[in-house]
Amino acid sequence: MHPGLSPMQLTDRQIAQLRAFASAVRESPHNLLSARGLDELEDRHIAEGLGVASLLPRRPHAVLDLGTGGGFPGLVIAIVRPDLRVALLDATRKKVEFVADVAQSLDVPVEVVHGRAEEVVHSRPDMRADVVTARAVAPLDRLIPLGLPFLRPQGQLWALKGARWAEELRTATPTLRRLRASVLAVPDDTRPQVHPQAAGGGFAVLRPRIVIIGRTSSRA
């Protein structure tokens, strides 16, 4: 079971940064989100990123957002969790350029990398992370082989999933066995997945569905 959401109160600066980020997403010509996604930008996409940030452990460590797209949840995490070292990776250049420009304009310390995960994991061994987040990247059977190589020892892959997470997990069982990986936590279906919590500035914190995967072997 996942830990509970930690209380979160945004500073005035973080509220201003999140609002500027939302404006940049809406004004971008790159179709970073669907029309529905833009309608749900603050109430779902940003709020879900705040939920991930609230769940991450309160200790210094490195986070890699795999397939960050328009910066979800990675840039949101970087804005509200300055105690973490956050890197954003995506294979689409226009998205990488967007999040890099936004991060620079908002003075958010984050590393933004362009490339395919399968290639970057070999060319950038320094990008190993304690937590790899991934949202809307691929089904679990394809995501797990992409994410596990980036993990440090005892690291975790946090896969943000929709309502069909259990079906994806069943399909991924052979992949888990082959890669000597194990399921550390799954969404708690005994209660609602969305837990609104005020964070300040009109932003809410929503609990996402996260499947957490770890290694059961020290083999790289």
Side-chain angles (χ1 to χ4, degrees):
M1 181 181 297
H2 289 283
L5 293 177
S6 300
M8 174 171 286
Q9 186 62 43
L10 302 177
T11 65
D12 290 343
R13 182 171 187 267
Q14 290 168 340
I15 291 169
Q17 289 173 319
L18 289 173
R19 287 175 176 168
F21 174 39
S23 295
V25 171
R26 286 197 168 91
E27 294 169 4
S28 173
H30 299 314
N31 297 319
L32 300 172
L33 293 173
S34 65
R36 179 181 176 182
L38 291 175
D39 289 340
E40 300 174 335
L41 178 54
E42 288 86 359
D43 295 337
R44 179 187 171 198
H45 298 285
I46 291 179
E48 187 177 74
L50 293 175
V52 178
S54 295
L55 290 167
L56 288 168
R58 294 288 173 181
R59 60 181 174 82
H61 65 286
V63 175
L64 169 65
D65 191 27
L66 186 65
T68 194
F72 304 102
L75 191 52
V76 177
I77 295 171
I79 289 172
V80 302
R81 291 293 304 273
D83 57 306
L84 304 178
R85 182 169 65 84
V86 180
L88 312 180
L89 171 64
D90 202 277
T92 304
R93 183 172 294 278
K94 66 181 181 181
K95 294 179 180 178
V96 167
E97 292 174 348
F98 168 80
V99 292
D101 289 345
V102 172
Q104 183 177 20
S105 68
L106 298 181
D107 193 25
V108 177
V110 63
E111 182 179 9
V112 184
V113 178
H114 171 248
R116 293 173 56 84
E118 306 93 319
E119 300 169 357
V120 174
V121 72
H122 298 295
S123 63
R124 291 288 308 273
D126 58 310
M127 288 191 69
R128 299 299 191 275
D130 299 292
V131 175
V132 173
T133 58
R135 177 184 182 276
V137 174
L140 283 171
D141 61 335
R142 300 209 317 265
L143 176 63
I144 292 168
L146 294 176
L148 285 185
F150 284 101
L151 296 181
R152 291 176 175 174
Q154 309 304 316
Q156 298 178 352
L157 170 62
W158 286 30
L160 281 67
K161 288 296 173 182
R164 300 178 64 182
W165 66 267
E167 178 182 339
E168 283 193 31
L169 193 53
R170 285 192 294 271
T171 302
T173 298
T175 302
L176 289 167
R177 292 173 178 165
R178 176 172 58 85
L179 297 178
R180 299 183 184 178
S182 59
V183 180
L184 304 180
V186 296
D188 185 352
D189 278 348
T190 64
R191 58 184 176 180
Q193 288 298 319
V194 177
H195 296 271
Q197 175 196 101
F203 288 99
V205 180
L206 301 183
R207 185 189 186 95
R209 294 182 178 92
I210 307 178
V211 177
I212 300 182
I213 305 294
R215 290 188 181 277
T216 54
S217 169
S218 61
R219 186 185 66 179

